[in-house]
Amino acid sequence: MSSTNGSPIADSALPAAEKADVLWFLPTHGDGHYLGTSHKAREVSLSYLRQIAQAADQLGYFGVLIPTGRSCEDSWVVASALAGLTERLRFLVAVRPGLLSPAVAARMTATLDRISGGRALINVVTGGDPVENKGDGFFADHAERYEITAEFLDIYTRLLKGEDVDFVGKHFRVEGGKLLYPPVQQPHPPLFFGGSSAPAHDVAARQVQKYLTWGEPPAQVADKVRDIRARAAAVGREVSFGIRLHVIVRDTAAEAWAAAGDLIRYIDDATIAEAQKVFARMDSEGQRRMSALHAGRRDQLEVSPNLWAGVGLVRGGAGTALVGDPETVAARIKEYMALGIDTFVLSGYPHLEEAYRFGESVLPLLPRAAGTGAPGVATNHRGPFGEIIGNAIVPEAPRAAAS
């Protein structure tokens, strides 16, 4: 549903989110100034990931998503390495039903939650690339993967709650399962989960706390939220909602759109075609929907006001970015909040610089939940105020131009 100026109107049937938590992203699959090229690429070392994590911690982000798959460093190892180097930051790490046993995953989850002081978040990833899955020794088809996920989560959550588990299902059998060291968060760390197919929506409605969608236009997101709310209500549950987006924020809209164009300046048509060929082999409904937004074409990338699909020309998964000046990007985020989205998992290129751009210019404009806080107490009690002018004068905010 849209207003006359193209902005979505809140759907009265979808309870709005009054406040939001905002997470950033650790680019363990690579980073740089441009997509589709090694030009000005950046080495993603532990030192660099530490810089991003500590910046996100200082800026007040709720947490960071660490991606999963063979194109990435292992999310659990990275989270463990960074937990002791951060203070408040939470780590959203992937559990992969079918690649891990539920009992082993429960022990990993409880351990990370304990050593981080209750800062673990769990991203349940069913998987959408059959070629990659087979390389990992996992040969289940789309329908079977969701059956496996449902059984896995039944066992996994019961173990984390402290139950002794005996289970016989189609895909798992457990006798005398038990977790000796419980997680800090009770009954267990929150479960995030994404998926756009009907089986995925059913798993979300029945078994997770946070349904996470990729950044589709608001009307499409509203349809998902409405469907999952109805499925959850039918089994006596409630589910909260998040969205995964990139951001390109600059002082002016013109600068932001120029930065968007610059991000893909080195991508040629052959590179786009090769990437889209890989995406087409996947049996992920979410990836199909992402690819359909742009159809591999450069001339139709703004798929909704300020929602740009250029990232998805060569990047799998989340392929859209909110583009604009701080006030516009904040307004678009609030439009998703009006649909019930209360969690935003964001990223931008390069990830260190964009974390600062968004954190300093957009976060202060958002109604933030308790978990997404302001930066820590400033050393200078009046600050932050920039560099002292002439060694004597404290800078002030820009004055409005005289009319």
Side-chain angles (χ1 to χ4, degrees), residues 109 113 156-157 160-161 183 185-191 207 209:
T109 299
D113 202 44
Y156 171 78
T157 55
L160 286 167
K161 291 174 183 177
Q185 299 176 84
Q186 292 294 317
H188 54 74
L191 304 184
Q207 295 181 283
Q209 287 71 57

Side-chain angles (χ1 to χ4, degrees), residues 182-245:
V184 173
Q185 299 176 84
Q186 292 294 317
H188 54 74
L191 304 184
F192 289 58
F193 175 83
S196 296
S197 65
H201 283 199
D202 196 49
V203 168
R206 292 176 178 274
Q207 295 181 283
V208 305
Q209 287 71 57
K210 184 83 62 180
Y211 174 79
L212 193 63
T213 179
W214 286 328
E216 298 179 14
Q220 295 179 27
V221 171
D223 289 340
K224 286 183 172 182
V225 171
R226 193 178 298 109
D227 180 59
I228 292 170
R229 280 196 192 279
R231 291 173 187 256
V235 294
R237 295 189 74 244
E238 293 183 356
V239 177
S240 61
F241 297 89
I243 193 168
R244 172 77 180 95
L245 287 157

Side-chain angles (χ1 to χ4, degrees), residues 13-311:
L14 300 177
E18 295 183 359
K19 295 183 178 181
D21 276 324
V22 182
L23 290 80
W24 198 245
F25 183 85
L26 293 184
T28 60
H29 50 24
D31 199 11
H33 293 261
Y34 308 103
L35 291 174
T37 178
S38 61
H39 178 60
K40 295 185 75 173
R42 185 168 290 176
E43 180 184 0
V44 180
S45 60
L46 179 60
S47 175
Y48 180 59
L49 293 172
R50 181 179 69 241
Q51 290 182 64
I52 300 173
Q54 290 179 335
D57 203 19
Q58 178 188 358
L59 289 163
Y61 288 95
F62 181 75
V64 285
L65 168 64
I66 309 178
T68 187
R70 66 183 180 188
S71 63
C72 314
E73 300 281 18
D74 182 79
S75 63
W76 291 85
V77 174
V78 170
S80 298
L82 296 174
L85 302 173
T86 51
E87 298 176 4
R88 298 172 299 275
L89 198 70
R90 295 159 182 84
F91 296 92
L92 180 53
V93 295
V95 159
R96 302 290 299 270
L99 298 184
L100 280 175
S101 82
V104 171
R107 291 198 292 272
M108 292 168 61
T109 299
T111 299
L112 180 60
D113 202 44
R114 286 196 310 277
I115 68 171
S116 67
R119 292 186 283 144
L121 305 172
I122 302 302
N123 185 24
V124 181
V125 177
T126 300
D129 183 353
V131 173
E132 181 172 331
N133 287 340
K134 291 174 183 178
D136 287 335
F138 187 34
F139 289 83
D141 63 23
H142 186 274
E144 288 176 316
R145 291 203 305 272
Y146 285 100
E147 292 175 355
I148 290 168
T149 297
E151 289 189 7
F152 177 99
L153 290 178
D154 187 346
I155 302 165
Y156 171 78
T157 55
R158 289 171 60 193
L159 288 168
L160 286 167
K161 291 174 183 177
E163 297 181 23
D164 292 348
V165 177
D166 292 296
F167 182 95
V168 178
K170 179 179 177 181
H171 301 284
F172 291 101
R173 178 176 177 177
V174 174
E175 295 181 3
K178 188 177 182 66
L179 182 66
L180 298 179
Y181 300 96
V184 173
Q185 299 176 84
Q186 292 294 317
H188 54 74
L191 304 184
F192 289 58
F193 175 83
S196 296
S197 65
H201 283 199
D202 196 49
V203 168
R206 292 176 178 274
Q207 295 181 283
V208 305
Q209 287 71 57
K210 184 83 62 180
Y211 174 79
L212 193 63
T213 179
W214 286 328
E216 298 179 14
Q220 295 179 27
V221 171
D223 289 340
K224 286 183 172 182
V225 171
R226 193 178 298 109
D227 180 59
I228 292 170
R229 280 196 192 279
R231 291 173 187 256
V235 294
R237 295 189 74 244
E238 293 183 356
V239 177
S240 61
F241 297 89
I243 193 168
R244 172 77 180 95
L245 287 157
H246 304 278
V247 287
I248 301 174
V249 180
R250 299 295 185 272
D251 288 342
T252 68
E255 290 172 325
W257 284 111
D262 202 44
L263 185 63
I264 59 173
R265 66 185 294 186
Y266 292 106
I267 299 175
D268 57 25
D269 291 342
T271 301
I272 294 173
E274 286 300 311
Q276 296 304 309
K277 186 185 301 182
V278 173
F279 303 152
R281 80 186 184 201
M282 299 180 183
D283 57 4
S284 163
E285 174 63 13
Q287 183 61 63
R288 186 198 66 77
R289 292 166 69 107
M290 279 282 101
S291 297
L293 291 176
H294 53 71
R297 296 174 55 180
R298 300 171 183 266
D299 60 346
Q300 49 187 27
L301 292 179
E302 189 176 5
V303 296
S304 183
N306 301 97
L307 184 66
W308 181 73
V311 178

Side-chain angles (χ1 to χ4, degrees), residues 1-12:
M1 185 180 299
S2 299
S3 65
T4 54
N5 66 2
S7 299
I9 299 173
D11 187 329
S12 60

